[in-house]
Amino acid sequence: MQKALSTYVDEALFQLVKQGDKAAFDEIYKRYWQELLDAAYKRVKEPETAMELVQELLVHLYLKRETIELTTNLRGYLHTALKNRVLNSVRAQLVRNTYQQHLSRDGNTFQPDAASTLQLKELQRQIDVSCASMPEKCREVFFLSRREHLSYQHIADRLGISVNTVEKHMVKALKILRTHLKEYHFSILWCLIWIGRWLHGRGIF
């Protein structure tokens, strides 16, 4: 009789995950979801951002399971990986804030050069292509979150779906964007998108 997965130590579970065992991954997910979410929230102080960071981390763990080699225990790996994601998220937010302050202060004098405008146009084109490749509901959730800035709960209420379903659509949308925009460092991608929206709002492109 097979042992219950709940009795497995982390490293044994992860070996099963590396072999593609989804039940073992579900056990790791249940074992660490709340712990990681609490850790992320203590750092970012925003429930949705914390949830997104943890969701992306765990999805990454499964997608890259065959190439991940643990040099410490699984708990240590997950918390270190989460810390790195939080730091990247904070850096990206600082960059966005810096640009926003700069543009608000010098909005009347800021004029992008032709090369910058063309690069932003190309970025927007690639984003549009990426969005077009998303399933319809996934694309709708992405637009509501990133363009209308709705919370996951508000998106769920508007579309008549659960918050958990909204999370899954967002994870899928972000994965598609990563695949299509490999040349961009993903932690600053939203900064570039924000600048593009600012320029577009001023009729620059």
Side-chain angles (χ1 to χ4, degrees):
M1 182 176 178
Q2 187 178 16
K3 291 170 57 180
L5 290 174
S6 60
T7 66
Y8 280 57
V9 298
D10 291 346
E11 287 65 39
L13 271 179
F14 188 61
Q15 286 304 312
L16 292 177
V17 172
K18 288 174 75 72
Q19 298 167 22
D21 190 323
K22 292 183 178 180
F25 174 73
D26 288 342
E27 177 61 31
I28 289 176
Y29 191 101
K30 289 187 295 184
R31 196 172 289 186
Y32 283 104
W33 166 257
Q34 191 62 52
E35 178 180 324
L36 292 171
L37 186 60
D38 291 343
Y41 179 74
K42 287 179 182 178
R43 292 182 168 94
V44 300
K45 305 301 183 184
E46 294 179 356
E48 291 174 14
T49 300
M51 190 177 298
E52 188 171 308
L53 288 169
V54 174
Q55 188 81 3
E56 288 181 8
L57 169 60
L58 291 171
V59 169
H60 175 84
L61 180 74
Y62 185 78
L63 294 177
K64 300 296 183 181
R65 62 191 182 278
E66 295 178 0
T67 58
I68 292 175
E69 295 296 335
L70 298 180
T71 57
T72 181
N73 57 49
L74 182 62
R75 173 178 273 110
Y77 169 85
L78 289 172
H79 279 277
T80 298
L82 177 63
K83 180 181 178 181
N84 291 335
R85 285 177 179 271
V86 168
L87 289 174
N88 286 338
S89 177
V90 170
R91 289 192 197 103
Q93 185 60 52
L94 288 173
V95 171
R96 286 194 294 270
N97 290 344
T98 299
Y99 270 108
Q100 188 172 10
Q101 291 169 7
H102 172 73
L103 296 175
S104 296
R105 184 177 61 251
D106 303 323
N108 293 329
T109 60
F110 176 75
Q111 292 294 333
D113 57 31
S116 297
T117 300
L118 286 174
Q119 289 174 353
L120 288 167
K121 283 184 177 180
E122 176 59 20
L123 171 62
Q124 186 59 57
R125 187 191 68 78
Q126 292 186 46
I127 292 172
D128 290 342
V129 170
S130 299
C131 291
S133 70
M134 296 176 186
E136 182 179 356
K137 188 63 70 174
C138 178
R139 182 170 61 250
E140 187 174 10
V141 167
F142 176 78
F143 283 161
L144 290 174
S145 173
R146 298 306 183 185
R147 293 189 177 180
E148 295 191 24
H149 308 291
L150 297 184
S151 69
Y152 284 8
Q153 185 61 61
H154 286 159
I155 294 171
D157 292 342
R158 178 180 291 193
L159 300 182
I161 57 180
S162 68
V163 172
N164 185 55
T165 300
V166 172
E167 293 170 16
K168 291 179 179 178
H169 282 310
M170 280 300 299
V171 169
K172 188 170 186 177
L174 294 173
K175 181 173 179 286
I176 291 171
L177 280 176
R178 281 197 183 89
T179 300
H180 284 236
L181 301 170
K182 292 178 180 178
E183 67 269 33
Y184 293 96
H185 191 294
F186 202 72
S187 66
I188 66 171
L189 178 59
W190 297 121
C191 177
L192 294 175
I193 294 173
W194 184 88
I195 296 170
R197 286 206 303 266
W198 183 88
L199 294 173
H200 182 72
R202 284 158 177 73
I204 296 172
F205 76 83

